[in-house]
Amino acid sequence: MYDLEAVPRKDYKATYEQFGWELVGKMASVYIWRKDYDGERPESFTDTESLKQRGSRVIRAISFSFYLFLLAAVGLTVGLVLFFDGLTTEQKIQYAVGMLLAYGFTVYLGMVMRSVSRTKEY
């Protein structure tokens, strides 16, 4: 199970461990937990408020990246338009590739945000 927790409470780890979850690892502000089970898959977020909070945290994190890539794509586009005549063919290709990648990531992150917002379980 993943949990996006930028600023965890003091008892964050202890609370999960108390309920039998084992911390597998942490990357940036994402914690990965696991728990042995038979039958139905365990879920740590069972009440409506916890589900809302988790969904909001995920959307905020994806939104930050979305806007960052959008800003980069627009910046590259403006740079290409403003300096087009002064650039070599190689530089124009580099700008174009950077723009396409930035717009591609922006579209992908937009689709992920839409998917996450549609599948919130509350």
Side-chain angles (χ1 to χ4, degrees), residues 72-87 95 99:
V74 169
L76 286 168
T77 303
V78 169
L80 183 61
V81 169
L82 290 178
F83 304 110
F84 188 80
D85 292 332
L87 299 175
Y95 262 94
M99 269 179 8

Side-chain angles (χ1 to χ4, degrees), residues 85-103:
D85 292 332
L87 299 175
T88 65
T89 302
E90 184 178 314
Q91 290 171 326
K92 291 175 186 175
I93 291 171
Q94 289 174 351
Y95 262 94
V97 168
M99 269 179 8
L100 291 174
L101 287 173
Y103 280 118

Side-chain angles (χ1 to χ4, degrees), residues 59-71:
I59 292 290
R60 278 194 310 270
I62 296 170
S63 296
F64 176 79
S65 298
F66 172 83
Y67 290 116
L68 189 64
F69 275 105
L70 182 60
L71 182 65

